[in-house]
Amino acid sequence: MPSRPRDERPTTYDAEIAALGARVRKIRLIRGWTLEAAAERTGVDWKHLQKIEAAQLNPTIMTIARIAEGYQVPLWVLFRGPT
C-alpha cells in the first residue's frame, strides 16, 4: 500500500487490508511455511507476500486468488476467515 501524506486520514479499507494480511500470515504459519515456500506454492514473490502480510500494499483480486489457490483455501477465507 503506498504511503499517504501525514495529513491524510486512513481509509475505511486500511483495517480490511490489515486483516487480510493477518489472515494470509496466519494460514502460512499454521502450515509451517516460510515466505519462500509460500511464494513457490502461490507464484507470488515472497517480498510481495511479506508486504501483503504487513499491510504495506493493497493486492489485486488476482493476487489474492493466487494466494487462496496456493494455500488451498476458498477465496472467502482470506476475506472473512478468523484472524
Side-chain angles (χ1 to χ4, degrees):
M1 177 168 35
S3 61
R4 73 173 67 60
R6 289 180 181 250
D7 62 336
E8 189 176 327
R9 297 162 106 171
T11 68
T12 56
Y13 297 108
D14 289 342
E16 291 296 326
I17 292 167
L20 170 71
R23 289 180 194 107
V24 169
R25 184 173 194 273
K26 183 176 183 176
I27 295 168
R28 178 178 64 79
L29 293 176
I30 286 170
R31 285 168 169 56
W33 298 343
T34 62
L35 283 166
E36 292 83 0
E40 287 179 25
R41 294 173 188 272
T42 62
V44 178
D45 184 76
W46 73 268
K47 292 176 187 175
H48 201 75
L49 286 170
Q50 184 179 44
K51 288 180 181 181
I52 292 168
E53 289 183 3
Q56 293 176 342
L57 83 99
N58 184 357
T60 66
I61 190 66
M62 290 306 298
T63 298
I64 297 167
R66 288 171 65 190
I67 293 169
E69 184 176 336
Y71 283 21
Q72 297 180 329
V73 297
L75 187 61
W76 67 265
V77 169
L78 297 181
F79 288 104
R80 293 288 174 212
T83 55

